[in-house]
């Protein structure tokens, strides 16, 4: 079926929206970062899905095997890089959250905001 | 391969490889010196490239000698040459003028790491400008973004932290949007090389994924470029960043995102998507007009000097977008010239702010009251930068305003309305610049304040060099103009 | 010295002089004043040295730098500009003389800054006078605005700064908001902004757009103070009197009406504009300003504010004369610039002398002051007569030409305005003159004082003599301005 055939893309879209929603709607900084990670992972999934060639194997060329079908290796390489970027972003974000906790004593957005308002 | 052919690669490699070395260097002045040397080298290369490009030479580099479109390609055309000049120039000026400022704002033992992050940021920004590969641009964009989060978080005010967090979230969302867009295009064309993409999109039968990709890429980059109303991260990030970092980032960070935005929308999509120019215009022109009006208005009511200038930046991005949204040669030329000239003006202003911050406790307007009495040179440089921002003749800002108004007037009746918007915003610029000038020149210092001294000479020299460049490019505008015009022709050349 | 060098020298001397004054000010006030006088004298020598060539039909020109392809900073001396430059440079030296008396007499602060910026303002004025195209003119126009702002705010207290903000705000806002778009628009449609005999816009622009562009110019040049952009002029009255003289007689407002005349003559071209019905509003706007400002002046009780509104009215005389769009009226406009300059500078010098000697600023206080300050009040009387247009003063000559132009064009609005405003001028100047000479001094508030410092009295005597002299010896100026409309040397 057409709809189910795009099963992976549906997962991508739903995960993307879940992540994005969390980023926007959550006031807790950790939850925001979690949302961000889901958001990014959804995109990784999109790339990995598009490289899959039906019936293809891992992209390792074996000598002597003619007409070998293998998945497109390029998106995988790209996503490897993107994952590294995502991990660094999350790590940096968490480091910032730790320092926010140290200075403000809270990781709730509205409490941080209120702490900076002149009373 | 001789050295000239390697210049483009060196531009990125020099700061990138210096970064880990700098992180290990002690004492801190050595780290600063090495950073500055690397940045100045990159600046020198950028000047060489810009002069070469102006004479019509092409600079390209195949990474690992893999031919494009399969390998990763670096390419410099007039447009990227302008950007490279701005990026490396801003970094060098900020480093030279900001050493003392960094000393007062960053803990001593952390300075080498700070400078290492600086170099990574520089490498990332230069990489974006020089890269001809969509995914490579993403990687460089994230390198520069991560580095700038670190740099901004170094600000001594605790409010820097929530500001960075906001920037990190919005920046990452923007970059991910971009990644989705690139993915969709790759799906349809099978290439990541920009030039190749341009050729292959023709052959795509169903254009709807490309259209979606155009949307994702434009919005994602608009987020990074702080195009109104996606600018929420910018004012606080600029305000609480260390002063030297503000000089660097305010002069070039958003411009680089704008650069890719224009690249994609003009080179890749424009001639392939039917009606893209109209959509682009309809989408961005109202936003640009709102930006120049609303952000200028915000600046006119702002009482914190740095945030005032930050809002002004949002307005100036509006000018750049306005020129681009005309989708013609004159408009794009105005945009690109303004990218260059605004960097000069804003760089000067933030350098002057760094000077003020050396001697004053507060950068709120009441804190700088009467500052001109004790710091006449600093404030005079601020005035020059301010005049350039307003667009008074004899300064660089005038050149871009001239081109922008000329381009807009070519639009017929709509042009008159747009001119009105530009004019109103210029007047608001007069208001916000003059509020600062008047406070500094004619108000008495706050009671009980210790009379400040003039800023240290080395900072003044740099600030004044930048201020004089504003004047120089107000008269000898040949270099930015010829490059911008060539860049604009290049971008528009792809229109039928 | 050839003419090209002379142009550059005329521009460079005031700026170099400003530097010299700033340096000399650190050493000794006398040295500083000497530097001012030497600079002023050098400027006169250079500028007046240019006149013979312009008389003979020469139009020396020099191009400095091309900032954008097709748009350059360039200078070209033509009769209007020559007259303006000769006037400004001539009055500067008299004004400097007066400044020395006034500034010392009132023990003003920051005198070095004052003299240096004064020189910068004069340099900008030379730039405006000699500019060969709209952009150059605009550049120096802005320099003039910016350099006079600290002069207006000289006193530095809250009230002064507030008024100076009005001054700067209005001038900058109108110039950036209206003048600059007009300049760019002109460059776009005409392909050039050069000042050319007969104009550059003929055939490039039609219908209501002509009126619109003219409006952008007229209201963009806020220095010409056509209502409602006249508010800055009364606000700027907080400045020291020599600055007021600079604003009203030497440079600023003259730069405004000069710009408008130049734009009408050399950008639009009077024949082209005459044929465009959409441009006729300018005459009415100017006529309205003449009458309205005169009526407002009638109601003032502060001498300097009265003079300010009188200036607003007189400026619109020039604009109205230019808007009559007939050769005789254009000559009248140029001559009126000169005549008004002589008269108004005398009046301001007198007002400043009264303030310096007696600290009096309000009209009722002036009863019987003529007996204590006969020289000053004689000069004041001459200035007032020139404003009204009574012979034998310069004001009569210019009014004659403007009227002649108005008759030539059968322009009854202009004629009626001139007659009505003459009556109004008489109505607010003559009572002052009468009061000063014939009323009895108020015994209770009487302060013992005589004339102002010698330098000030000398200066106002010179300008009063010039006001009368211009009635008899206006030939050269007229000759020069005839070339504007006859097209000699173009």
């Amino acid at each position: 079926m057409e709809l189910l055939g795009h099963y992976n893309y549906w997962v991508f879209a739903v995960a993307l929206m879940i992540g994005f929603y969390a980023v926007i709607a959550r006031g807790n900084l950790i939850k925001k970062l979690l949302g961000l990670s889901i958001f990014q992972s959804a995109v990784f999934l999109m790339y990995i899905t598009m490289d899959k060639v039906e019936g293809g194997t891992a992209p390792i060329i074996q000598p002597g095997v003619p007409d070998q079908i293998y998945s497109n290796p390029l998106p995988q390489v790209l996503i490897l890089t993107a994952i590294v970027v995502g991990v660094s972003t999350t790590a940096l974000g968490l480091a910032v959250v730790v320092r926010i906790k140290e200075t403000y004593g809270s990781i709730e957005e509205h409490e941080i905001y209120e702490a900076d308002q002149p009373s | 391969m001789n050295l000239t052919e390697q210049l483009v690669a060196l531009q990125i490699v020099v700061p990138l490889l210096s970064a880990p070395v700098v992180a290990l260097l002690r004492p801190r002045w050595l780290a600063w010196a090495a950073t500055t040397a690397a940045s100045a080298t990159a600046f020198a290369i950028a000047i060489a490239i810009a002069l070469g490009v102006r004479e019509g030479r092409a600079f390209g580099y195949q990474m690992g000698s893999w031919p494009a479109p399969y390998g990763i390609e670096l390419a410099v055309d007039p447009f990227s040459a302008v950007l490279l000049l701005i990026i490396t120039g801003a970094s060098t000026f900020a480093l030279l003028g900001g050493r003392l400022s960094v000393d007062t704002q960053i803990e001593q033992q952390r300075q080498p790491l700070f400078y290492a992050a600086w170099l990574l940021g520089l490498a990332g920004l230069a990489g974006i400008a020089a890269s001809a590969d969509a995914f490579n641009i993403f990687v460089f964009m994230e390198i520069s973004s991560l580095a700038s989060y670190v740099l901004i978080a170094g600000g001594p005010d605790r409010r820097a932290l929530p500001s960075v967090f906001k920037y990190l979230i919005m920046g990452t969302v923007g970059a991910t949007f971009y990644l989705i867009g690139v993915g969709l295009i790759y799906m349809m064309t099978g290439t990541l090389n920009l030039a190749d993409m341009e050729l292959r999109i023709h052959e795509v039968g169903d254009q709807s994924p490309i259209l979606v990709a155009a949307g994702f890429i434009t919005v994602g980059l608009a987020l990074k470029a702080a195009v109104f109303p996606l600018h929420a991260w910018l004012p606080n990030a600029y305000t609480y960043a260390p002063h030297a970092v503000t000089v660097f980032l305010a002069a070039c960070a958003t411009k680089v995102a704008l650069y890719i935005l224009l690249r994609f929308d003009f080179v890749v999509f424009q001639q392939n998507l039917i009606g893209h120019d109209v959509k682009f215009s309809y989408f961005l022109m109202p936003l640009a007009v709102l930006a120049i009006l609303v952000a200028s208005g915000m600046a006119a009511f702002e009482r914190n000097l740095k945030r005032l200038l930050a809002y002004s930046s949002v307005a100036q991005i509006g000018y750049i977008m306005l020129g681009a949204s005309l989708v013609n040669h004159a408009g794009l030329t105005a945009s690109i010239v303004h990218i260059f000239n605004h960097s000069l003006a804003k760089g000067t202003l933030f350098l002057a702010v760094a000077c003020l911050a050396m001697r004053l406790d507060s950068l709120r307007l009441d804190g700088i009251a009467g500052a001109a009495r004790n710091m006449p040179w600093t404030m005079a440089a601020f005035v020059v930068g301010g005049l350039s921002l307003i667009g008074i003749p004899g300064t660089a800002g005038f050149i871009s305003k001239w081109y922008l108004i000329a381009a807009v007037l070519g639009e017929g009746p709509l042009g008159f309305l747009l001119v009105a918007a530009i004019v109103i915003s210029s007047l608001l610029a007069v208001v916000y610049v003059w509020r600062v000038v008047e406070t500094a020149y004619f108000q008495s210092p706050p009671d009980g304040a210790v009379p400040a001294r003039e800023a240290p000479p080395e900072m003044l020299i740099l600030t004044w060099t930048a201020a004089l460049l504003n004047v120089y490019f107000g008269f000898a505008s040949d270099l930015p103009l010829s490059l911008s015009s060539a860049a604009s022709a290049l971008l528009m050349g792809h229109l039928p | 010295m050839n003419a090209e060098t002379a142009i550059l020298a005329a521009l460079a001397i005031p700026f170099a002089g400003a530097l010299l004054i700033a340096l000399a000010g650190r050493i000794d006030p006398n040295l500083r004043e000497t530097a001012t006088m030497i600079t002023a004298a050098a400027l006169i020598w250079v500028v007046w040295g240019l006149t013979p060539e312009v008389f003979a039909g020469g139009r020396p020109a020099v191009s400095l730098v091309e900032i954008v392809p097709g748009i350059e900073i360039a200078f070209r001396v033509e009769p209007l500009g020559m007259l303006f430059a000769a006037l400004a440079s001539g009055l500067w030296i008299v004004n400097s003389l007066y400044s020395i008396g006034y500034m010392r007499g009132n023990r003003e602060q920051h005198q070095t800054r004052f003299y240096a910026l004064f020189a910068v303002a004069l340099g900008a004025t030379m730039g405006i006078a000699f500019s060969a195209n709209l952009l150059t003119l605009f550049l120096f126009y802005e320099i003039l605005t910016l350099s006079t702002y600290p002069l207006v705010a000289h006193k530095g207290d809250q009230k002064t700064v507030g008024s100076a903000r009005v001054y700067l705000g209005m001038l900058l806002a109108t110039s950036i908001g209206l003048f600059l778009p007009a300049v760019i628009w002109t460059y776009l449609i005409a392909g050039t902004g050069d000042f050319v005999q007969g104009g550059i816009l003929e055939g490039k622009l039609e219908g209501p757009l002509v009126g619109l562009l003219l409006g952008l110019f007229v209201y963009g040049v806020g220095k010409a103070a056509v209502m409602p952009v006249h508010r800055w002029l009364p606000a700027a009255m907080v400045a020291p009197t020599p600055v007021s003289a600079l604003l009203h007689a030497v440079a600023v407002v003259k730069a405004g009406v000069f710009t408008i005349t130049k734009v009408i003559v050399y950008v639009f071209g009077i024949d082209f504009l005459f044929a465009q019905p959409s441009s006729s509003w300018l005459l009415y706007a100017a006529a309205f300003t003449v009458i309205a400002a005169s009526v407002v002046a009638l109601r003032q009780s502060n001498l300097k504010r009265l003079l300010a509104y009188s200036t607003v009215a007189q400026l619109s005389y020039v604009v109205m004369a230019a808007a009559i769009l007939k050769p005789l009226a254009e000559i009248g406009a140029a001559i009126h610039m000169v005549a008004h300059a002589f008269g108004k500078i005398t009046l301001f010098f007198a007002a400043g002398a009264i303030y310096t000697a007696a600290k009096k600023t309000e009209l009722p206080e002036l009863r019987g002051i003529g007996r204590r300050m006969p020289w000053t009040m004689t000069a004041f009387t001459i200035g007032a007569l020139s404003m009204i247009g009574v012979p034998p003063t310069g004001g009569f000559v210019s009014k004659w030409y403007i009227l002649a132009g108005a008759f030539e064009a059968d322009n009854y609005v202009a004629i009626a305005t001139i007659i009505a405003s003459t009556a109004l001028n008489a109505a607010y100047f003559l009572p002052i003159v009468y009061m000063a000479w014939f009323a009895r001094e108020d015994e209770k508030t009487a302060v013992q004082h005589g004339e102002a410092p010698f330098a000030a009295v000398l200066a106002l005597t010179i300008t009063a003599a010039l006001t009368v002299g211009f009635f008899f010896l206006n030939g050269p100026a007229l000759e020069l301005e005839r070339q504007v409309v006859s097209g000699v040397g173009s």
Side-chain angles (χ1 to χ4, degrees), chain B residues 432-485:
Chain B
Y432 61 70
V433 169
W434 217 259
R435 272 175 77 218
V436 179
V437 170
E438 201 181 274
T439 313
Y441 277 86
F442 290 105
Q443 285 191 6
S444 308
D447 291 332
V450 188
R453 283 169 299 128
E454 183 54 278
E458 67 169 86
M459 293 180 75
L460 276 183
I461 291 170
L462 259 292
T463 311
W464 265 96
T465 315
L468 291 177
L469 278 178
N470 272 294
V471 177
Y472 175 78
F473 284 113
F475 289 103
S477 55
D478 185 45
L479 176 73
L481 266 183
S482 57
L483 284 176
S484 306
S485 181

Side-chain angles (χ1 to χ4, degrees), chain B residues 427, chain C residues 137-138 141-142 145 169-183 212-229 232 255-256 259-260 263 281-282:
Chain B
L427 294 180
Chain C
L137 195 152
F138 184 77
Y141 182 95
E142 294 292 31
T145 308
M170 287 203 72
L171 289 185
L172 221 51
T174 49
S175 66
I176 293 180
L178 306 171
F179 192 14
L180 181 60
V183 170
L212 180 64
L213 181 60
L214 185 66
L216 287 178
F217 273 119
V218 169
Y219 292 110
V221 183
K223 292 193 169 95
V226 176
M227 278 182 181
V229 287
W232 61 271
T259 304
I260 290 186
V263 164
W281 63 268
L282 179 59

Side-chain angles (χ1 to χ4, degrees), chain C residues 132-217:
Chain C
N133 56 43
L134 279 170
L135 184 78
T136 313
L137 195 152
F138 184 77
L139 171 66
F140 284 99
Y141 182 95
E142 294 292 31
I143 296 178
L144 184 60
T145 308
L146 294 173
S147 64
T148 46
Y149 166 76
L151 290 174
V152 173
H154 189 82
K155 223 185 241 170
D157 56 10
Q158 278 301 326
K159 181 172 165 286
T160 315
V161 172
S163 299
R165 191 189 299 161
V166 174
Y167 172 81
L168 184 84
M170 287 203 72
L171 289 185
L172 221 51
T174 49
S175 66
I176 293 180
L178 306 171
F179 192 14
L180 181 60
V183 170
I184 299 179
W185 193 8
T186 307
Y187 269 94
L188 271 186
I189 53 177
T192 173
D194 290 352
F195 297 122
V196 175
Q197 191 81 35
I200 51 176
L201 287 174
E202 181 138 31
K204 305 273 173 51
L205 199 61
E206 279 302 320
L209 288 179
V210 180
L212 180 64
L213 181 60
L214 185 66
L216 287 178
F217 273 119

Side-chain angles (χ1 to χ4, degrees), chain B residues 119-471:
Chain B
L119 281 175
L120 288 175
L122 174 62
L125 291 169
I128 298 172
S131 191
D133 179 285
F135 192 82
N136 211 20
I137 287 177
F138 166 77
V139 175
F140 278 127
M141 194 155 71
E142 283 312 85
I143 291 177
S144 70
S145 296
L146 287 168
S148 50
Y149 305 147
V150 173
L151 291 175
I152 294 172
D157 193 308
R158 70 171 183 175
R159 279 169 290 188
L161 295 170
S163 313
V164 161
F165 192 80
K166 193 173 190 178
Y167 184 16
L168 184 139
I169 296 284
M170 292 185 76
T172 309
V173 169
T176 311
F177 269 25
Y178 171 80
L179 195 60
I180 296 172
V182 170
L184 288 172
I185 297 180
Y186 178 72
M187 236 193 262
M188 303 309 289
T189 62
T191 181
L192 289 170
N193 187 295
L194 288 184
D196 202 33
M197 243 181 222
E198 178 200 345
L199 297 174
R200 292 213 200 164
I201 291 184
H202 277 305
E203 300 155 12
V204 175
D206 181 6
Q207 288 210 325
S208 33
I210 308 288
L211 197 65
V212 175
F216 270 115
I217 289 178
T218 308
V219 173
L221 291 173
L223 244 174
K224 285 255 175 199
V227 171
F228 185 89
L230 303 173
H231 66 280
W233 58 267
L234 184 141
N236 274 352
Y238 281 11
T239 307
Y240 299 117
H243 306 303
V245 173
T246 312
V247 175
F248 179 30
L249 294 185
C252 63
T254 53
K255 316 267 186 333
V256 173
L258 279 175
Y259 160 83
I260 327 168
L261 178 69
L262 295 181
R263 272 244 119 130
F264 261 97
D265 273 303
F266 281 87
V267 178
V268 178
F269 299 133
Q270 198 72 273
Q271 92 288 10
N272 294 315
L273 281 180
I274 295 148
H276 177 77
D277 50 346
V278 179
K279 288 198 193 83
F280 184 76
S281 250
Y282 279 11
F283 178 58
L284 283 168
M285 196 183 282
L287 293 183
V289 171
L290 277 175
I292 62 181
L293 293 177
V294 176
S296 299
M298 299 284 275
F301 286 102
E302 183 54 56
R303 298 198 65 81
N304 180 310
L305 187 53
K306 280 181 89 179
R307 197 180 285 121
L308 182 153
L309 292 175
Y311 274 115
S312 149
S313 283
V314 176
Q316 304 291 326
I317 292 163
Y319 283 128
I320 298 168
M321 292 314 300
L322 180 62
S325 71
L326 298 176
V327 195
N328 59 31
H329 180 260
L332 262 183
T333 310
S335 274
I336 300 168
V337 174
H338 199 58
I339 288 180
F340 183 86
N341 289 340
H342 173 245
S343 299
L344 275 177
K346 222 15 103 45
T348 310
L349 287 170
F350 274 119
L351 274 170
V353 168
C355 289
L356 286 173
M358 287 301 287
R359 299 295 189 228
L360 300 173
D361 299 330
S362 159
L363 284 175
R364 296 181 63 80
L365 278 186
D366 35 18
I368 62 159
R373 282 173 217 183
N374 305 314
M375 309 175 72
W377 288 97
T378 306
M379 278 316 293
F382 188 93
V383 171
V384 175
L387 292 179
S388 185
L389 196 64
I390 298 169
I392 299 280
T395 58
F398 174 72
I399 305 288
S400 35
K401 209 149 262 184
W402 176 283
Y403 271 77
L404 188 60
I405 293 183
V408 162
L409 275 177
E411 292 293 297
L414 175 66
F416 285 100
L417 285 177
L418 295 177
V419 168
I422 296 173
V423 160
I424 292 170
S425 155
S426 300
L427 294 180
L428 286 168
V430 173
V431 172
Y432 61 70
V433 169
W434 217 259
R435 272 175 77 218
V436 179
V437 170
E438 201 181 274
T439 313
Y441 277 86
F442 290 105
Q443 285 191 6
S444 308
D447 291 332
V450 188
R453 283 169 299 128
E454 183 54 278
E458 67 169 86
M459 293 180 75
L460 276 183
I461 291 170
L462 259 292
T463 311
W464 265 96
T465 315
L468 291 177
L469 278 178
N470 272 294
V471 177

